[in-house]
Amino acid sequence: MTRVALAFSGGLDTTICVPLLEEEYGYDDVIGVTVDVGQPAEEFDEAEETAEALGLDHYVVDAREEFAQLCLDSVRANASYQGYPLGTALARPVIANAILEVAEEHDCTGIAHGCTGKGNDQLRFEAVWRDSELEVIAPIRELGLTREWENEYAEKKGLPVEGGNEGEWSIDTNIWSRSVEGSELEDPSFVPGEEIYEWTQAPTGETEEIEIEFVEGYPVAVDGEELDAVSLIEYLNEVAGAYGVGRTDSMEDRMLGLKVRENYEHPAATTLLSAHEALEGLVLTQEEREFKQLIDQKWSKKAYEGLIDAPLVSALEGFVAETQKRVTGTVTIRFEGGQARAVGRDSEYAAYSASHASFDTETVGKIEQEDATGVAKYHGFQRRLANESIARLEGEESVELTTDGGTEE
Ligand code: ARG
């Protein structure tokens, strides 16, 4: 008896994978696995109902805490890719590992997903699964199936799908972000209406301020109330979403090279990233901030690729952890005009001295204004000499040209 574990959502793609894994790949038994990374309840109902109608053994794994923790790790690295805080990307390795565990527990010899051959998720899932001995199967991609064919097949087989039951768009939701793509959104010039948004309201002009407390780069409390990772993210999605915070509309460069038009909502992510950067701005030195941008960008790219377990990421994490030792303090965020703007920050580790920077007093600490005179004399010194050389060369050139005769002007 051979068994295969399938990443199962109850949508059209994964539903038709169930009979296909038996018919086309010869497996005797299929089990479906859904991993909870904070999708809305309806998605679990859909998966549950469809599994039941298919007679599919269905397992749900709760990975919300693990995933939320990873999201907060990503805040320490100011992680985003082309304006997208990586919700789907960060979730995939978590989901892939959870499914692999269920597959191994149930003596599966195969493991399958319903991704097409165009997106990023196939790569992220398989990077994890191909570390194992299991046969990795991607029926939609391998059989070259189209949406049209799938719908016909489902109808012929009497499979429990309500003709394109995912609605007009392709949506992926977890606690960190909600993405909407497909249908008329595929036209980059198409201006979507409010109906594509579910987490965010159009900004009304109203504002609100909240205070976020960080310990070593991790957000731990909002307005004085300590919250665990999941609750903190859920809470911020709600408050910030009400002010229209965290909408992104971008042309995203996928790993395979295709561009895709993506719309995202991520109110908590935007709020936390904005607050975290503001606190780093207070406590880190200029050169740490500058260098950390490179680290953050690399971290984000590896997260986008679904490769956060790469050795490079551990090395980057070392730098992140070292810098975050001082990223402790509070930030006041104002929700205003669809933005989460840092309007105040405080830390006992500030690399800042009001008495040194102030314009108000004449002599500040041991620094006096005239101390800067010497620095001012040397600032830009090499460039002054170099520019003089350039002017001399240009002068010689024009002299040469005129004495040569022939050349005009
Ligand atoms: N483009 C994003 C990513 O690769 C999100 C894709 C989400 N999928 C969807 N069906 N909306 O991470």
Side-chain angles (χ1 to χ4, degrees):
M1 161 121 152
T2 56
R3 184 177 294 135
V4 57
L6 167 68
F8 186 74
S9 71
L12 176 64
D13 292 323
T14 58
T15 298
I16 69 154
C17 281
V18 176
L20 286 175
L21 285 166
E22 293 167 355
E23 289 164 14
E24 299 292 325
Y25 294 89
Y27 277 89
D28 302 318
D29 188 31
V30 184
I31 61 172
V33 188
T34 308
V35 181
D36 186 351
V37 283
Q39 305 90 315
E42 309 89 75
E43 287 191 23
F44 294 100
D45 297 343
E46 187 189 3
E48 205 55 59
E49 280 162 27
T50 312
E52 217 176 286
L54 286 166
L56 176 74
D57 274 335
H58 183 224
Y59 301 87
V60 178
V61 182
D62 183 355
R64 288 191 318 152
E65 246 171 73
E66 181 190 347
F67 177 55
Q69 194 49 51
L70 181 58
C71 295
L72 298 191
D73 288 340
S74 84
V75 170
R76 302 206 321 164
N78 300 311
S80 80
Y81 175 78
Q82 298 182 336
Y84 151 56
L86 300 162
T88 299
L90 288 168
R92 290 309 180 252
V94 174
I95 294 171
N97 276 304
I99 296 172
L100 183 57
E101 243 170 70
V102 175
E104 282 168 347
E105 270 163 31
H106 290 82
D107 302 316
C108 293
T109 52
I111 191 160
H113 63 69
C115 305
T116 70
K118 293 193 175 176
N120 292 321
D121 287 341
Q122 50 174 340
L123 307 180
R124 297 169 180 150
F125 279 131
E126 292 182 33
V128 173
W129 292 350
R130 288 183 192 276
D131 293 341
S132 79
E133 299 288 296
L134 302 191
E135 182 192 14
V136 175
I137 310 168
I140 309 294
R141 179 183 73 205
E142 287 159 7
L143 304 171
L145 307 185
T146 62
R147 235 30 218 180
E148 211 173 30
W149 187 94
E150 291 179 34
N151 273 312
E152 265 170 40
Y153 176 80
E155 197 177 324
K156 201 172 69 205
K157 286 245 143 193
L159 299 178
V161 291
E162 309 133 33
N165 56 348
E166 281 163 335
E168 28 184 345
W169 307 300
S170 169
I171 295 172
D172 185 65
T173 311
N174 58 53
I175 44 171
W176 203 233
S177 65
R178 175 175 177 272
S179 90
V180 191
E181 60 183 39
S183 188
E184 75 269 52
L185 296 170
E186 287 175 355
D187 172 1
S189 71
F190 175 80
V191 181
E194 282 299 309
E195 64 277 7
I196 68 162
Y197 300 112
E198 223 159 72
W199 288 6
T200 54
Q201 255 89 67
T204 58
E206 270 170 53
T207 70
E208 180 177 336
E209 280 173 20
I210 61 162
E211 202 176 80
I212 304 176
E213 192 184 328
F214 288 85
V215 173
E216 296 193 3
Y218 287 115
V220 294
V222 180
D223 290 331
E225 194 184 333
E226 273 184 41
L227 295 166
D228 62 75
V230 174
S231 319
L232 184 122
I233 295 168
E234 282 177 346
Y235 176 70
L236 288 178
N237 272 332
E238 203 131 303
V239 267
Y243 295 92
V245 168
R247 290 181 173 183
T248 302
D249 181 338
S250 75
M251 293 308 298
E252 182 171 306
D253 294 297
R254 279 187 186 162
M255 278 184 264
L256 289 172
L258 295 172
K259 279 187 191 291
V260 63
R261 200 268 186 94
E262 285 281 9
N263 279 271
Y264 293 107
E265 298 180 278
H266 37 78
T270 295
T271 304
L272 290 171
L273 290 168
S274 166
H276 178 260
E277 269 198 84
L279 195 54
E280 283 194 336
L282 179 65
V283 303
L284 298 186
T285 61
Q286 187 276 334
E287 58 192 1
E288 284 176 308
R289 291 171 76 184
E290 187 176 85
F291 194 74
K292 189 162 181 294
Q293 284 185 1
L294 302 175
I295 302 287
D296 293 348
Q297 206 180 6
K298 264 290 176 212
W299 199 103
S300 303
K301 190 74 191 302
K302 296 316 286 179
Y304 187 72
E305 294 168 351
L307 302 177
I308 40 164
D309 62 349
L312 174 65
V313 179
S314 310
L316 299 174
E317 279 290 343
F319 181 89
V320 171
E322 187 60 33
T323 55
Q324 299 306 292
K325 285 180 181 168
R326 284 168 285 138
V327 187
T328 294
T330 55
V331 178
T332 306
I333 286 286
R334 182 184 295 155
F335 301 124
E336 182 174 53
Q339 281 189 293
R341 207 155 61 79
V343 292
R345 71 284 279 152
D346 185 34
S347 171
E348 56 178 309
Y349 307 116
Y352 168 80
S353 155
S355 66
H356 282 92
S358 174
F359 302 111
D360 299 340
T361 43
E362 208 176 274
T363 307
V364 278
K366 293 197 170 83
I367 297 179
E368 293 173 25
Q369 287 206 46
E370 63 210 46
D371 292 343
T373 309
V375 178
K377 283 182 185 166
Y378 283 100
H379 186 64
F381 185 67
Q382 290 194 2
R383 130 206 160 285
R384 183 169 304 125
L385 296 182
N387 279 338
E388 279 168 14
S389 301
I390 290 166
R392 202 170 58 241
L393 276 171
E394 281 171 353
E396 279 167 14
E397 233 167 74
S398 63
V399 170
E400 254 172 56
L401 289 178
T402 40
T403 48
D404 257 7
T407 332
E408 56 272 26
E409 282 156 83

